[in-house]
Amino acid sequence: MAAIEADYLVVGAGAMGLAFIDTLVAESDATVVVVDRNDRPGGHWTTAYPFVRLHQPSAYYGVNSRHLGSDTIDRTGFNAGFYELASGAEVCAYFDAVMRHQLLPTDRVTYLPMSEYLGDGLVRTLGGEHIEVSARRLVTTHVEIIVPSMRSPSYAVAPGVECVPPNDLPRIRELRDRYVIVGAGKTAMDTCVWLLRHGVAPERLTWIKPRDSWILDRATVQPGSEFAKRVLRDFSNQLNAVIDAESLPDLFDRLEAKGCLMRIDRSIVPTMYRCAILSQGELEQLRRIEDVLRMGHVESIEPGRITLEGGTRDIEGSALYIDCSADGFAHVEPATVFTDERIALQAVRTCQPAFSAAVIAHVEATYPDDETRNAYCNPVPYPSVPADWLRMMLAFNKNQVHWFSDPDMMAWVETSRLNVLHHVSAGVSERAREKIISVLTSQLPAVNEKLEKLLAQA
């Protein structure tokens, strides 16, 4: 049996794993073995639907040491006026370049693709060889991303029913009388917009949505100096909404009124929040779809009929069902990031997993013990329901308070390419930046206290 010694064994070469390795290798002399079941880096991006794009700007996605994209502003399409969104193909090519051109040339990273981690340091390659890895730390991603192409539908599909993942859509050229989109998350939103963009009339779409979602406006998460005031205003509006809110419903009314959150159907109270980001153009497209089924989850599909938790629906004519119901970030309770010989990669900032992984690597390389490290990396829960908006803000605010108290940590955070606020602070004067930090430092304790009171109502 072959044997490898390293400081870290990282399971998975997805976005979080690579962001962690990139920062760790840059800031220490550590050696790393990364095991991945895919044949190339990128994690779920390697199996994503071909028309997928980032829903956050390319400017702060990927790894800290390498820019993604060219920092250009789109002039056409539903993202017009905003910074570019990398396609799935671009993201995969980017992560491949990170591995081949940056990590492997250090001679401190060993990459084992098409391999399975069996536990206890044991790795099995595609050819059946077993490799024993002796490492000081085991690094895993705490929450696995599941996309539709990675599993079969969770409901029964009868023979004669054409039900496909969104990956198959570009290859299907024969027209259908009706296109039925199953799922309420960002994948379903992307699929609906793709069909509309390619000329499928909204009257031919049926959208099955077990839940409606609160959505972030892409205008409020833009890099660049021209957007800095808008982004700062949005952040201030969030804090003020929390302070002024009298109840949870009142909070979300205020957040919507201030443009911090949006919903597709203003007559429906959302029961979901997953950090999905849309432009106003995409939002308006989705509002064109009128045949929306809110009858719970699909239980089965047979020719001409859908059975849902709340009843049945007949479908006339030829129909194509597009399964977009995979869970994405599965709901898993947060775990302590640093424990003995393990590191559990997870969010430590709201809605920014890659930046979070880089933070964890920086803290690992910089601070002397796990108790200190965990104080900087309070886990931020992955959201599912609207109340998680509050839980995420509360957890992240606690991290920010700790970061603000450490000038060295703040210096690192402010220069991190992956950090949204880095792009904001780069677009304002030094005096304005100091004022922002001062205001945040003074306001966060009161905001956190109010968040806890509001969460007591949840």
Side-chain angles (χ1 to χ4, degrees):
M1 180 187 299
I4 303 175
E5 291 188 3
D7 296 308
Y8 297 85
L9 170 56
V10 178
V11 180
M16 292 192 80
L18 291 178
F20 174 87
I21 297 168
D22 173 76
T23 296
L24 184 72
V25 169
E27 299 185 12
S28 75
D29 59 0
T31 55
V32 179
V33 172
V34 55
V35 180
D36 192 68
R37 63 183 58 169
N38 300 311
D39 69 336
R40 54 179 175 156
H44 76 281
W45 286 101
T46 63
T47 59
Y49 42 102
F51 52 90
V52 69
R53 286 187 176 272
L54 288 170
H55 57 144
Q56 59 180 292
S58 303
Y60 44 78
Y61 189 78
V63 303
N64 252 335
S65 66
R66 188 183 187 97
H67 284 272
L68 172 58
S70 55
D71 287 342
T72 57
I73 292 180
D74 288 338
R75 299 302 178 189
T76 61
F78 301 132
N79 193 55
F82 298 137
Y83 275 84
E84 64 185 308
L85 309 172
S87 68
E90 289 173 315
V91 172
C92 287
Y94 168 86
F95 282 134
D96 185 62
V98 167
M99 179 64 76
R100 291 189 298 110
H101 299 315
Q102 290 179 234
L103 299 181
L104 294 181
T106 66
D107 292 327
R108 290 187 286 126
V109 176
T110 300
Y111 175 43
L112 302 176
M114 294 303 294
S115 299
E116 197 75 26
Y117 180 62
L118 305 177
D120 296 325
L122 193 61
V123 177
R124 183 182 62 225
T125 69
L126 177 64
E129 178 188 7
H130 285 78
I131 301 173
E132 185 175 16
V133 180
S134 299
R136 179 169 58 84
R137 289 271 210 189
L138 174 66
V139 183
T140 60
T141 302
H142 185 58
V143 179
E144 185 177 4
I145 299 178
I146 304 296
V147 298
S149 62
M150 297 170 69
R151 58 102 178 105
S152 300
S154 58
Y155 42 86
V157 179
V161 172
E162 192 173 14
C163 182
V164 301
N167 300 56
D168 291 357
L169 271 180
R171 295 191 292 271
I172 297 175
R173 300 304 180 105
E174 183 181 349
L175 296 178
R176 304 295 192 277
D177 296 320
R178 184 147 296 273
Y179 297 82
V180 183
I181 300 92
V182 181
K186 186 61 169 58
T187 299
M189 297 176 199
D190 286 351
T191 298
C192 290
V193 170
W194 186 87
L195 289 165
L196 293 167
R197 179 163 58 88
H198 286 285
V200 179
E203 295 79 16
R204 293 165 64 190
L205 302 186
T206 296
W207 191 359
I208 298 176
K209 297 174 67 174
R211 301 188 291 170
D212 280 66
S213 178
W214 286 112
I215 298 161
L216 297 168
D217 186 345
R218 192 171 295 130
T220 66
V221 293
Q222 291 296 302
S225 57
E226 65 269 48
F227 294 100
K229 289 183 178 179
R230 172 69 186 272
V231 175
L232 287 171
R233 183 169 67 249
D234 178 73
F235 191 64
S236 177
N237 285 339
Q238 293 180 45
L239 298 182
N240 290 332
V242 171
I243 291 295
D244 296 338
E246 298 178 359
S247 64
L248 278 176
D250 182 47
L251 171 62
F252 285 96
D253 286 344
R254 291 175 184 273
L255 290 170
E256 183 177 31
K258 293 176 181 292
C260 304
L261 292 176
M262 311 184 298
R263 50 181 159 168
I264 298 170
D265 190 331
R266 298 184 184 93
S267 69
I268 302 295
V269 177
T271 58
M272 179 169 71
Y273 174 66
R274 303 297 296 270
C275 286
I277 305 174
L278 294 176
S279 68
Q280 289 287 343
E282 291 167 321
L283 188 70
E284 292 305 317
Q285 288 297 309
L286 294 172
R287 285 174 175 161
R288 297 174 63 201
I289 303 172
E290 297 183 358
D291 188 17
V292 179
L293 296 186
R294 296 182 175 90
M295 299 167 63
H297 292 89
V298 174
E299 294 183 343
S300 63
I301 303 176
E302 55 189 308
R305 174 167 292 188
I306 311 169
T307 301
L308 304 102
E309 292 171 317
T312 61
R313 168 70 180 270
D314 291 336
I315 299 293
E316 297 181 357
S318 61
L320 177 66
Y321 294 86
I322 305 113
D323 177 54
C324 303
S325 61
D327 205 17
F329 280 106
H331 180 69
V332 177
E333 290 299 317
T336 303
V337 173
F338 300 95
T339 54
D340 299 326
E341 299 173 353
R342 300 178 69 95
I343 298 176
L345 298 181
Q346 56 204 293
V348 296
R349 192 211 188 280
T350 54
C351 306
Q352 281 198 280
F355 171 62
S356 296
V359 169
I360 292 169
H362 171 70
V363 169
E364 166 71 6
T366 305
Y367 297 93
D369 58 81
D370 284 352
E371 182 178 358
T372 303
R373 295 178 183 123
N374 282 318
Y376 285 88
C377 296
N378 185 45
V380 173
Y382 289 96
S384 178
V385 298
D388 289 336
W389 186 94
L390 291 81
R391 295 186 179 96
M392 295 175 73
M393 176 177 275
L394 179 60
F396 175 50
N397 284 352
K398 290 178 179 178
N399 285 339
Q400 285 197 107
V401 169
H402 209 78
W403 298 352
F404 290 157
S405 68
D406 182 343
D408 291 336
M409 183 66 183
M410 276 303 298
W412 185 89
V413 166
E414 288 191 326
T415 58
S416 172
R417 184 189 76 81
L418 298 177
N419 185 14
V420 173
L421 294 181
H422 156 70
H423 298 271
V424 175
S425 62
V428 299
S429 67
E430 179 67 19
R431 182 177 178 182
R433 186 194 67 80
E434 291 177 356
K435 183 178 179 181
I436 293 166
I437 299 300
S438 176
V439 170
L440 284 175
T441 303
S442 62
Q443 285 188 350
L444 286 184
V447 170
N448 289 352
E449 182 179 353
K450 186 61 177 290
L451 285 168
E452 289 176 342
K453 289 181 179 179
L454 291 170
L455 279 169
Q457 303 175 17

